[in-house]
Amino acid sequence: MSGYSSEELVDNIKSLKKEKKAVIFGNYFQLPEIQDICDFIGDSLELTQKANETNADVIVFCGVNYMAETGKILAPDKKVLIPDLEAVCNLTESCPADEFETFIKARPKYTIISYINSSAEVKALSDIIVTSRNAVSIVNSIPYDENIIFAPDRNLGAYINNLTARNMVLWNGTCSIHDVLSNERVLALKENHPEAKLIAHPRCKPEILKIADFVGSTTALLEYTRKTKDEEFIVATDSGIIHQMKKYNPDKSFIIIPTDESAMCNECPHMKLNNLEKLYNCILNEEYEIKLSDEIINKAKVPLERMLDLSKKLSF
Ligand code: 13P
């Protein structure tokens, strides 16, 4: 422990950031105090675009490991840091690269599309990367007669299959904080709050997505709450995003879905590992640095750049 107060940590982080020409990126599932000190927060597509464009010397990713790895793949000459190495993504972990390689080898001639929440090694095995924001448009841009494997999130895959009338083969992975949200609880909340709009991330179960008023990436959900005249929302994603929703909509109300008894809560515990103390130490000591082999970087860069390129051409 540094012994600094939160205010001192914030001041120290700000001056270290200047001194080291560092930039801090984060996602909406971070603790509020981390969100507030980030130079940029966004969904996975926006974070990837920013990492690709930044001229900072050091990029600190307040998120989970696949985000920092993505930054390193796109900016291999920069120092890419993460405040806590234990901040892993359970969805990424649900698709080990060796098992995925066996899975795709059994299905030759398939186009391999991987969601960005995948390891660098899985990205290196893929043809195109997608995020929840651009997935439907990118899949639609692929000739209809092409066979596709989609990994690792089966709920997002089923959602894309539904909207694109495809039959992509799905890897059987899930995100534990989204997949745990139960339809019964959502229906009970809808009954108690008949005016509330249900807004959901596409990693939720199909039965929730079916009854949602709006489905989208984290940024899309936030934008929806800003643009609509509706005033009450049942939010089917990590509760970390409520911080921004309240900031932008102080007079609107946001209802978190309580999770089943079997789950701790609808907060990703890995995302919440990053805190001000760890962020301060991360910039001060320039640790923990993301290291990937040149071979993985060179292979994983190809499908990521394909996604960035397609994202400039497609509308979504
Ligand atoms: P998206 O909104 O881009 O899906 O990002 C959220 C996320 O995946 C955090 O793991």
Side-chain angles (χ1 to χ4, degrees):
M1 291 287 284
S2 65
Y4 290 123
S5 67
S6 298
E7 291 75 20
E8 286 168 332
L9 283 171
V10 167
D11 288 344
N12 291 347
I13 291 167
K14 283 182 180 163
S15 35
L16 277 171
K17 218 175 58 171
K18 264 194 205 141
E19 187 188 307
K20 304 209 176 198
K21 227 176 156 243
V23 71
I24 305 174
F25 295 156
N27 83 335
Y28 298 106
F29 301 166
Q30 296 298 295
L31 294 170
E33 58 272 29
I34 293 289
Q35 293 188 35
D36 289 344
I37 202 169
C38 283
D39 295 293
F40 180 77
I41 49 175
D43 66 17
S44 301
L45 177 62
E46 293 166 322
L47 289 169
T48 307
Q49 288 165 329
K50 286 278 175 192
N52 196 37
E53 288 159 8
T54 184
N55 52 18
D57 293 339
V58 177
I59 309 175
V60 183
F61 263 94
C62 291
V64 285
N65 56 352
Y66 81 84
M67 297 177 182
E69 283 184 357
T70 303
K72 185 68 186 173
I73 294 163
L74 290 169
D77 300 333
K78 297 190 190 297
K79 195 169 257 189
V80 178
L81 306 173
I82 186 163
D84 191 324
L85 277 180
E86 304 279 306
V88 295
C89 168
N90 64 69
L91 176 57
T92 299
E93 308 258 292
S94 76
C95 188
D98 54 342
E99 290 176 30
F100 189 56
E101 191 166 16
T102 308
F103 185 81
I104 61 180
K105 276 194 175 147
R107 294 164 181 84
K109 298 200 186 135
Y110 275 66
T111 299
I112 317 299
I113 302 189
S114 295
Y115 182 39
I116 199 158
N117 298 41
S118 54
S119 66
E121 289 76 14
V122 166
K123 287 186 177 78
L125 293 167
S126 307
D127 297 307
I128 311 180
I129 305 300
V130 297
T131 73
S132 57
R133 177 98 81 95
N134 57 24
V136 168
S137 302
I138 289 183
V139 170
N140 267 331
S141 75
I142 294 171
Y144 194 72
D145 57 359
E146 252 178 64
N147 290 319
I148 300 174
I149 288 172
F150 182 84
D153 192 276
R154 66 166 188 241
N155 292 340
L156 175 60
Y159 174 73
I160 302 166
N161 269 344
N162 204 12
L163 290 190
T164 61
R166 303 263 176 162
N167 192 18
M168 300 187 300
V169 174
L170 308 180
W171 181 264
N172 192 18
T174 55
C175 159
S176 55
I177 63 127
H178 288 92
D179 194 58
V180 80
L181 298 176
S182 92
N183 203 31
E184 292 71 37
R185 286 174 192 249
V186 172
L187 290 173
L189 281 176
K190 273 172 83 77
E191 207 167 306
N192 288 337
H193 302 269
E195 299 299 315
K197 296 289 176 205
L198 172 63
I199 58 173
H201 190 279
R203 294 203 300 261
C204 290
K205 286 191 179 103
E207 55 265 38
I208 291 185
L209 299 179
K210 212 158 127 191
I211 56 168
D213 296 289
F214 182 76
V215 176
S217 76
T218 43
T219 295
L221 297 179
L222 179 61
E223 286 301 303
Y224 179 84
T225 64
R226 293 177 71 182
K227 287 184 180 149
T228 178
K229 288 199 170 63
D230 296 304
E231 295 192 337
E232 197 179 18
F233 305 88
I234 300 166
V235 182
T237 191
D238 184 295
S239 54
I241 197 169
I242 304 291
H243 181 59
Q244 296 298 324
M245 288 181 171
K246 282 198 173 142
K247 239 185 190 179
Y248 285 108
N249 308 284
D251 299 327
K252 296 188 179 183
S253 57
F254 302 94
I255 303 155
I256 296 291
I257 303 163
T259 46
D260 299 315
E261 274 71 44
S262 59
M264 299 242 298
C265 58
N266 54 346
E267 280 193 342
C268 174
H270 302 292
M271 290 282 184
K272 310 298 179 290
L273 283 175
N274 301 317
N275 59 31
L276 285 177
E277 181 84 31
K278 289 180 194 170
L279 179 55
Y280 166 70
N281 286 325
C282 172
I283 309 191
L284 179 71
N285 303 319
E286 300 190 14
E287 63 182 16
Y288 300 93
E289 190 176 354
I290 301 293
K291 302 236 178 185
L292 296 170
S293 72
D294 288 348
E295 190 192 348
I296 288 293
I297 288 178
N298 291 336
K299 283 188 181 160
K301 204 183 215 1
V302 176
L304 266 171
E305 286 182 340
R306 204 166 277 155
M307 172 188 84
L308 290 172
D309 207 40
L310 280 169
S311 299
K312 283 186 200 145
K313 296 175 189 150
L314 300 169
S315 55
F316 41 82

